[in-house]
Amino acid sequence: MKKLMMTTVTAMVALGLIIQPANAFAKKEEIVNVAHRGASGYAPENTMAAFEKAVDMKSDMFELDVQLSKDGELVVIHDTSVDRTTDGSGKVKDLTLEELRSLDAGSWFDEAFTGEKIPTLGEVLDEYRGKIGILIEIKSPSLYPGIEQKVADALTERNMHKPNNNKIIVQSFDHDSVQTFHSILPSVPLGVLVYNPDHLTDQRLEAFSEYASYVNPSKSLVDRELVTRIHDYDMDVHPWTARDRESVQALKEAGVDGIITDYPDYVD
Ligand code: G3P
Ligand code: CA
């Protein structure tokens, strides 16, 4: 029904029966600036230094990746092993919180960041609630049964489970996990991450719209037609990951609602 109404409105616009606003293509005038893994072009990804840099650069939100330690604590790190972004080695799920916290998560990026730690999700929420929006990606949830409940608990304990202005969004590439989260905490806006173009059919978009507010595709999949189709299902689009000014410009021209970028200064 929603799709039919949008199609009718589009037809009325085409016939000149409705006057379009100046910025008719984008739904909003401001593009949401999302610092990917924090401002990770300028500081080591998924560290407090990168999140602080996102605040300094006046991003609207930062994105982070959450996984579980061996002892079931929510930790903020992208890869499922610590090898690339710390001075340690091994899988995140095989290391305790104490072991993970003993690692240096900064010097791989630059010596100036020596001593940065792998943060816990709670630490990040406590430090940044009310200061900046937080886009939480549940990373590889099939490795971590029950992680959705733990993320929901972390938000609820802090009374962050009814976020204003979409200042907390939870997303995942694992759409079953997103639906699980929705069943636990339906008040939190959700996003589906997509890298496969076959997952962007109208049928899929309609199914996403039952529980998600955002469809966040790889930037390589984004054009005006896709953005329009996602908007037709009343969802927003925050593509990833823009790492050059040309990509940012192309995404703006496609009418996206937000841009997930390592370089927040490229967006404004
Ligand atoms: O927020 C989207 C983006 O983070 C997804 O890709 O690999 O950087 O987690 P990845
Ligand atoms: Ca991510």
Side-chain angles (χ1 to χ4, degrees), residues 102-130:
S102 73
L103 303 177
D104 178 346
S107 57
W108 70 274
F109 184 86
D110 190 295
E111 273 184 17
F113 295 100
T114 301
E116 283 295 324
K117 304 288 183 203
I118 296 173
T120 64
L121 180 64
E123 181 184 4
V124 177
L125 295 178
D126 288 339
E127 180 62 31
Y128 291 105
R129 59 184 300 178

Side-chain angles (χ1 to χ4, degrees), residues 34 36-37 63-65 78 135 137 139 171 173 193 216-217 238-241 243 260 262:
V34 186
H36 180 240
R37 311 179 195 169
E63 187 256 9
L64 59 77
D65 304 282
H78 178 273
L135 172 59
E137 181 185 344
K139 183 60 85 183
Q171 66 174 1
F173 284 104
L193 287 163
N216 295 343
H238 291 188
W240 44 276
T241 300
R243 295 187 168 104
I260 300 174
D262 292 355

Side-chain angles (χ1 to χ4, degrees), residues 138-145 147-148 174 177:
I138 303 180
K139 183 60 85 183
S140 304
S142 60
L143 296 176
Y144 308 109
I147 190 171
E148 299 85 2
D174 185 325
S177 175

Side-chain angles (χ1 to χ4, degrees), residues 5 21 33 35 56 79-80 95 110 120-122 124 128 137 165 169 174 182 203 205 215 217 226 234 238 244 248 263:
M5 284 175 62
N33 183 326
D56 290 348
D79 296 3
T80 55
L95 297 166
D110 190 295
T120 64
L121 180 64
V124 177
Y128 291 105
E137 181 185 344
N165 304 322
I169 303 168
D174 185 325
H182 182 65
Q203 196 178 12
L205 294 181
V215 175
L226 175 64
D234 207 19
H238 291 188
D244 57 74
V248 167
Y263 301 94

Side-chain angles (χ1 to χ4, degrees), residues 217-252:
S218 165
K219 70 178 191 296
S220 64
L221 303 177
V222 174
D223 58 19
R224 281 182 171 237
E225 189 256 343
L226 175 64
V227 172
T228 301
R229 288 200 302 114
I230 295 171
H231 285 171
D232 281 354
Y233 287 98
D234 207 19
M235 295 180 288
D236 281 2
V237 190
H238 291 188
W240 44 276
T241 300
R243 295 187 168 104
D244 57 74
R245 294 181 191 278
E246 293 71 27
S247 300
V248 167
Q249 187 57 31
L251 292 172
K252 285 182 175 179

